[in-house]
Amino acid sequence: MIKKLLQRLFLFSLPFLLVYLILLGVLFICRESFLNPDSFIGKNNYQLVGYAYNEGNYRYIKWKEIQTRAPYKILGLGASRIGEFRDSMFTSSFYNATFSVKKVNEFKPFFQFLPVEKYPEVLVLCLDQHMFNASYNNHDLADIKENKWLASFSFWPNAEVIQSTAKGILNGKISWSTIHQAWQQEGLTKIGFQAFINEQGYRYDGSKCKTKLIERLIQKDKTLDDFEFRDTYRRIDQGIHGFEYCSDIDSNAIRILSNFFDFCHQHQIKVVAYLPPYADAVLDRMQATKKYEYLNKLPSALNQLCVSKAVEFYDFTRLSTFGSSDNEVIDGFHGGQVAYLKMLLRMLEQGSVLNQYANYKQLQLDLKNSPNAYSVYRDSFD
Amino acid sequence: MLFNSFSFALFLPLVFLIYWYLVGGSLKKQNAFLLVSSYFFYACWDWQFLFLLMFSTGLDYWSGIMIESREGRSRSFFLWLSISINLGFLFLFKYYNFFIDSLKELVYAVGIDTNLKSLDYILPVGISFYTFHGLSYIIDVYYKRIKAERFFIDYALFVSFFPLLVAGPIERATHLLPQIKQKRFFQYKNSVDGLRQILWGLFKKMVIADQCAVFADVAFNSTGDQSGMNLLLGLFFFSFQIYGDFSGYSDIALGVARLFGFELLRNFAFPFFSRDISEFWRRWHISLSSWFRDYVFIPLGGSRGTMLKTIRNTIVIFLLSGFWHGANWTFVLWGALHALYIIPLVVFKQNRNASLIAGYNSFGPSFKELFQMLSTFLLLSLSWILFRANNLNHSFYYLRRLFTKSIFQMPNYDDMFLFYGMSVLVVLFIGVEWLGRRKQFALQIVDAISSKSLRYAIYYLLLVLIFFMGGKSNQFIYFQF
């Protein structure tokens, strides 16, 4: 009778097992799962890593790239609003550790777990405004005692990843031509669903690539989530997802940042810090609510701190202050590569230490030759 | 390992196969193997607290033998020794910080600063449950309702049987030990029904509970930003979240136990069809409420004395029940609120009205029954504010925000499509539960369908829903107890 039960159970489960195996196969073929990043970290055998459902792997990859490779002269560190700086903008080695940190209390541990010899000479540090907003969701600033970057990698897909893959196939986002393309690919040029479907992800230099998104922006695709900043406006109206209302700066976050600057000074790391831009229309809307008083106080508070710690500081909150405009933003709070190149040029004009690592004239030429309002350097993933 | 995790999906078939194929011929081997599997199961949560579980088991085993072999006052000595040590551990791990923090706040309020320190450790999983297992055994031995178990492995299995180890049901020695001492034989029909119960439990947990949690979390995590209507709906969704979560877990536990030839105590009997709060407590977390009835309420005198004593005893068990759920004043107040709900029924002797479930002899409920069920549900939903809120301030804030003019606004969520979908699903779920209310669990109504294909189609539908709507592996709510 046990055998009868097992047989019936097996036959009953067979369709699910088959579907499950197919989904695992798709994940494997598109390198979304079952690919150990150590097989490409530190090597020059990949061009674009773009996971759709395993974003935790990015933190692992970024941290290990720095740990594995020869020390970079310049390192970019921040959440998502540093991602547009590219190695092509610098004359010395540069790595963009965008998406590696989310809060100020992660800056120091990110370095502390790295060998000292891997520290850069210059750190370009993106200070998201909401890092100093105590009302921002998940604002826990406790000490970090474990290397969460190493722990963030997942080889096996969990149930959520498998489920999302099934949904992606059913709604057509993951098409059979995508799977075929991935199957045909030799080597590891592209890794992950986003890389194959949207040519979106992170390049070998750590910078963010958004090929298909930029195409849609150029075509003024009305189906874009943040078309005419509608999603950002919704966040402002509801005070959610990085746009929580706040009147005062979180002094604890300032204290933690100060501590980090001391750490950098101790290890002879020159810091170039900046507040990233919002679209002007978005910033005006935020100011009009009068619920974001902390934004008005933040630049002077950070400037005061940075001056006292001999850290370069730039307030790029408003696009127009460095010659950019709403035509050069990806969405309500992410500038494009053109905007970021303009930010870099402004830093160089103001005598930044980055002048030793960048060619101002070449960058001006690159800007002039930009193919569109969002990109400076073309990508090719063949 | 969670019941709805891949690791459990690997663990269970392996244990099942070894249990029936390799050790099925010997009762001693069956029990020993299940005990080892149960300890492994618990060690996957935290191997360090496994020693605490073993110590508690050993203490109660030894105490039971001592109680049985003694007479007079020394019997009481071993009884109270076991109770003190068991409750002592429970107090230390679960309530010490609460009392220290409350004491600090109290003395600070009168202007005194203290150096009392809280302890920094996590709560051992299942401590409230296995402590109560042990206590029920030791008390039953003392009152000679059961003989002390002399074979350690059998007793240890009673305490640690993995389906009920971390979140109940709270078994009785008089119910489970006799099953442990009897050799189990594989029963096909029982196992199939057990698998169905597991399926139904997974559906309740992963589809109903985890999806309702989305809307409950919106209400409780951003109370200030929600309209009164959203907060009211948040309460209803939380009601279904906690029901789906807890009764789903119990269904999985009972279903798994049946695969190994055990029948565990039923823990939920369609509580949302209760016509008053008293009936609710006879249908919700039955193993806990009956435990408090048998080991606290009745020894205190029950309802045999004066009305005042009955009321006192009622208040005591509800306060204790609230306290059992968590070390927070919100839980104590939650218990007190339920005592307040029940006392009028006790006073007017209306607390034992409903023995059969609503509409037992008809297809649908009568208007009176419908009104009673809805009112009871509303009272329950309001009480969940205290259960779910972070603290007392949050509870009162929730109430203030709830009873505003915005309670008449239309619901407004980021994902209205999900809201409508979940609302329809919850209504359908209530419908299925209603149709299955005379059964052990609702999915058993499928037996009435003669077409095998249709029955299998329903099972597949449930699996597809679990696959597409589950997957977040959210912890079961009652694991924190």
Side-chain angles (χ1 to χ4, degrees):
Chain A
M1 291 306 268
I2 301 175
K3 206 171 163 187
K4 180 182 171 189
L5 177 73
L6 293 172
Q7 276 170 350
R8 290 229 167 144
L9 202 52
F10 176 72
L11 286 170
F12 178 81
S13 317
L14 202 53
F16 282 95
L17 284 172
L18 283 171
V19 168
Y20 188 72
L21 284 170
I22 289 170
L23 292 171
L24 291 183
V26 169
L27 285 163
F28 173 75
I29 290 167
C30 294
R31 287 100 168 156
E32 180 74 18
S33 292
F34 304 113
L35 178 65
N36 190 335
D38 290 340
S39 64
F40 57 85
I41 288 170
K43 304 175 181 116
N44 294 328
N45 59 349
Y46 74 99
Q47 293 185 30
L48 186 64
V49 182
Y51 297 111
Y53 310 124
N54 282 310
E55 289 193 333
N57 287 359
Y58 291 135
R59 289 160 71 88
Y60 178 89
I61 291 168
K62 296 293 176 91
W63 190 88
K64 280 220 80 177
E65 278 283 8
I66 299 166
Q67 188 212 32
T68 308
R69 291 189 189 258
Y72 292 96
K73 295 276 187 195
I74 314 151
L75 186 66
L77 183 66
S80 60
R81 293 158 85 198
I82 191 170
E84 297 291 350
F85 286 121
R86 289 200 58 173
D87 63 345
S88 315
M89 296 176 183
F90 301 96
T91 53
S92 299
S93 60
F94 166 80
Y95 188 77
N96 194 330
T98 178
F99 209 73
S100 299
V101 295
K102 289 182 192 171
K103 297 177 275 188
V104 289
N105 65 328
E106 292 179 307
F107 293 152
K108 192 170 163 186
F110 182 84
F111 280 97
Q112 280 178 319
F113 292 115
L114 282 168
V116 172
E117 57 269 21
K118 300 292 183 178
Y119 289 0
E121 289 177 11
V122 178
L123 172 68
V124 180
L125 187 67
C126 175
L127 300 173
D128 281 273
Q129 288 82 354
H130 59 69
M131 287 179 179
F132 304 91
N133 178 343
S135 306
Y136 178 55
N137 196 26
N138 197 26
H139 194 67
D140 172 27
L141 296 181
D143 285 344
I144 295 168
K145 292 174 183 153
E146 289 172 355
N147 188 342
K148 50 201 275 184
W149 290 271
L150 271 185
S152 59
F153 162 62
S154 175
F155 181 83
W156 299 96
N158 60 27
E160 217 176 323
V161 170
I162 295 171
Q163 186 195 79
S164 301
T165 305
K167 287 180 186 172
I169 292 173
L170 284 174
N171 63 24
K173 277 187 184 166
I174 304 170
S175 64
W176 294 110
S177 66
T178 301
I179 299 166
H180 180 72
Q181 183 199 356
W183 176 261
Q184 295 278 318
Q185 177 184 274
E186 286 176 17
L188 297 171
T189 308
K190 292 180 189 172
I191 297 165
F193 286 137
Q194 281 281 35
F196 284 107
I197 298 169
N198 292 319
E199 280 194 353
Q200 186 162 313
Y202 296 94
R203 303 181 186 90
Y204 63 91
D205 66 352
S207 63
K208 182 84 184 193
C209 175
K210 299 167 184 169
T211 309
K212 290 268 163 68
L213 178 58
I214 287 169
E215 282 172 16
R216 293 171 70 192
L217 282 165
I218 292 168
Q219 289 157 16
K220 297 195 190 308
D221 183 346
K222 289 183 182 170
T223 64
L224 281 166
D225 284 344
D226 206 23
F227 180 74
E228 291 177 348
F229 310 134
R230 60 181 166 212
D231 184 62
T232 308
Y233 289 155
R234 183 186 61 83
R235 295 185 194 202
I236 294 168
D237 292 343
Q238 294 180 26
I240 57 172
H241 299 158
F243 292 86
E244 285 75 4
Y245 306 135
C246 180
S247 51
D248 287 308
I249 305 163
D250 182 1
S251 55
N252 192 25
I254 296 284
R255 183 188 57 76
I256 292 170
L257 182 64
S258 173
N259 192 265
F260 174 62
F261 287 158
D262 290 337
F263 172 86
C264 290
H265 180 74
Q266 211 180 335
H267 291 95
Q268 289 103 46
I269 302 171
K270 300 183 201 82
V271 181
V272 178
Y274 70 92
L275 282 169
Y278 293 102
D280 284 347
V282 165
L283 192 58
D284 290 339
R285 190 156 175 135
M286 289 169 79
Q287 302 286 24
T289 65
K290 298 195 193 312
K291 293 180 181 175
Y292 296 97
E293 276 306 306
Y294 89 105
L295 281 182
N296 297 329
K297 299 173 186 173
L298 193 56
S300 58
L302 286 175
N303 189 52
Q304 197 176 355
L305 171 66
C306 290
V307 164
S308 70
K309 300 289 178 182
V311 165
E312 281 181 42
F313 173 70
Y314 301 91
D315 176 16
F316 291 138
T317 308
R318 190 168 280 279
L319 286 164
S320 45
T321 57
F322 53 93
S324 186
S325 72
D326 286 2
N327 295 326
E328 295 172 351
V329 298
I330 304 293
D331 58 36
F333 50 103
H334 290 96
Q337 215 170 72
V338 167
Y340 274 68
L341 180 52
K342 287 183 178 179
M343 276 163 56
L344 178 57
L345 284 167
R346 184 56 53 92
M347 290 185 202
L348 298 180
E349 283 160 8
Q350 294 192 6
S352 170
V353 68
L354 288 170
N355 275 296
Q356 299 169 28
Y357 305 90
N359 184 327
Y360 180 77
K361 284 196 173 132
Q362 181 59 50
L363 290 174
Q364 279 187 311
L365 194 60
D366 291 343
L367 182 65
K368 192 179 168 194
N369 293 330
S370 304
N372 56 59
Y374 306 101
S375 309
V376 179
Y377 307 102
R378 289 185 191 280
D379 287 302
S380 170
F381 300 111
D382 296 323
Chain B
M1 58 183 96
L2 293 172
F3 276 177
N4 55 330
S5 64
F6 279 137
S7 44
F8 187 76
L10 292 173
F11 171 83
L12 182 63
L14 195 61
V15 173
F16 176 84
L17 286 171
I18 296 174
Y19 178 79
W20 288 117
Y21 276 119
L22 294 184
V23 300
S26 156
L27 172 62
K28 281 187 180 163
K29 284 182 185 173
Q30 275 185 331
N31 289 347
F33 173 70
L34 275 184
L35 179 63
V36 167
S37 306
S38 301
Y39 281 159
F40 174 79
F41 177 84
Y42 192 81
C44 288
W45 287 96
D46 193 321
W47 66 270
Q48 289 164 315
F49 283 129
L50 178 61
F51 296 106
L52 179 65
L53 170 64
M54 287 172 166
F55 175 80
S56 176
T57 304
L59 170 72
D60 293 337
Y61 168 75
W62 174 76
S63 301
I65 293 171
M66 289 292 114
I67 289 170
E68 194 172 69
S69 60
R70 299 278 199 276
E71 287 297 330
R73 284 171 74 175
S74 56
R75 294 181 85 240
S76 301
F77 169 76
F78 287 105
L79 170 72
W80 285 106
L81 178 72
S82 173
I83 289 174
S84 308
I85 293 176
N86 276 310
L87 289 180
F89 277 124
L90 189 61
F91 174 82
L92 182 68
F93 284 102
K94 195 168 172 180
Y95 300 108
Y96 176 81
N97 285 344
F98 167 70
F99 279 110
I100 288 297
D101 291 341
S102 300
L103 186 64
K104 279 195 307 203
E105 275 176 34
L106 187 66
V107 298
Y108 187 74
V110 295
I112 303 169
D113 225 340
T114 69
N115 282 333
L116 292 169
K117 285 202 171 100
S118 305
L119 298 173
D120 184 18
Y121 49 70
I122 56 169
L123 182 65
V125 170
I127 190 171
S128 300
F129 292 94
Y130 68 70
T131 299
F132 273 39
H133 278 149
L135 288 177
S136 78
Y137 166 76
I138 215 74
I139 295 169
D140 282 348
V141 169
Y142 180 80
Y143 284 113
K144 299 184 181 175
R145 292 179 200 140
I146 191 170
K147 284 199 159 312
E149 180 52 54
R150 301 284 167 163
F151 197 47
F152 177 75
I153 287 179
D154 289 359
Y155 176 72
L157 182 57
F158 158 70
V159 176
S160 315
F161 186 34
F162 73 86
L164 49 78
L165 180 53
V166 293
I170 301 172
E171 265 295 339
R172 304 295 184 88
T174 47
H175 182 253
L176 186 55
L177 262 175
Q179 295 184 63
I180 288 173
K181 301 203 73 66
Q182 221 175 3
K183 191 170 168 209
R184 276 81 59 191
F185 298 94
F186 181 78
Q187 290 179 3
Y188 179 81
K189 273 188 95 173
N190 212 29
S191 295
V192 168
D193 211 30
L195 285 171
R196 277 202 308 195
Q197 197 163 9
I198 293 169
L199 177 62
W200 187 239
L202 285 171
F203 171 77
K204 285 203 282 190
K205 161 60 183 163
M206 294 173 76
V207 178
I208 300 297
D210 287 352
Q211 297 302 321
C212 285
V214 171
F215 300 99
D217 288 349
V218 163
F220 283 92
N221 294 345
S222 53
T223 306
D225 299 327
Q226 303 302 314
S227 65
M229 172 54 74
N230 274 19
L231 294 180
L232 182 65
L233 290 171
L235 287 182
F236 295 159
F237 277 116
F238 182 70
S239 298
F240 285 100
Q241 178 194 349
I242 195 165
Y243 173 63
D245 193 282
F246 199 15
S247 71
Y249 179 92
S250 292
D251 276 329
I252 297 170
L254 265 64
V256 167
R258 291 171 89 182
L259 289 176
F260 296 94
F262 292 97
E263 291 291 334
L264 298 182
L265 289 174
R266 193 183 187 192
N267 218 9
F268 289 86
F270 307 98
F272 287 163
F273 300 142
S274 302
R275 284 151 289 189
D276 55 54
I277 293 291
S278 173
E279 184 184 359
F280 172 77
W281 280 105
R282 292 196 297 277
R283 296 182 177 281
W284 176 278
H285 203 175
I286 299 166
S287 65
L288 179 73
S289 49
S290 62
W291 196 98
F292 276 114
R293 179 197 64 210
D294 294 342
Y295 298 107
V296 180
F297 186 70
I298 289 174
L300 283 176
S303 51
R304 287 195 303 270
T306 61
M307 182 53 69
L308 271 175
K309 272 197 178 157
T310 303
I311 292 171
R312 178 204 68 184
N313 297 339
T314 304
I315 291 171
V316 164
I317 59 164
F318 275 101
L319 286 179
L320 284 177
S321 175
F323 208 40
W324 178 91
H325 281 84
N328 195 319
W329 288 114
T330 51
F331 292 114
V332 178
L333 262 188
W334 173 77
L337 182 61
H338 274 266
L340 214 64
Y341 284 162
I342 282 220
I343 285 167
L345 297 171
V346 170
V347 167
F348 293 107
K349 297 197 196 306
Q350 297 295 309
N351 55 317
R352 289 181 212 280
N353 280 348
S355 51
L356 293 177
I357 198 159
Y360 189 84
N361 293 315
S362 59
F363 179 75
S366 63
F367 281 118
K368 183 182 173 190
E369 283 175 334
L370 185 62
F371 176 78
Q372 286 171 326
M373 287 191 287
L374 288 173
S375 327
T376 305
F377 182 76
L378 190 59
L379 284 175
L380 281 169
S381 297
L382 288 172
S383 77
W384 291 131
I385 297 174
L386 288 163
F387 198 89
R388 174 63 173 81
N390 302 325
N391 49 51
L392 285 179
N393 282 339
H394 185 202
S395 308
F396 297 136
Y397 180 60
Y398 196 104
L399 270 171
R400 283 200 306 275
R401 296 279 313 171
L402 174 65
F403 292 112
T404 57
K405 276 192 238 176
S406 62
I407 202 170
F408 299 109
Q409 279 178 12
M410 291 297 286
N412 179 23
Y413 295 101
D414 282 350
D415 192 342
M416 287 302 290
F417 180 73
L418 181 63
F419 165 70
Y420 289 129
M422 268 318 293
S423 302
V424 167
L425 193 59
V426 167
V427 167
L428 288 173
F429 171 67
I430 296 169
V432 170
E433 289 265 294
W434 176 259
L435 290 173
R437 68 194 181 283
R438 301 181 196 89
K439 305 284 184 182
Q440 281 285 308
F441 58 96
L443 191 57
Q444 283 179 324
I445 55 169
V446 167
D447 287 339
I449 301 172
S450 52
S451 162
K452 194 174 176 180
S453 308
L454 190 52
R455 290 204 305 272
Y456 273 62
I458 291 170
Y459 301 145
Y460 273 118
L461 176 63
L462 289 175
L463 279 169
V464 166
L465 285 171
I466 290 168
F467 178 76
F468 278 103
M469 297 182 77
K472 285 203 172 84
S473 273
N474 284 335
Q475 176 125 312
F476 288 89
I477 295 174
Y478 267 70
F479 278 15
Q480 66 184 303
F481 308 133

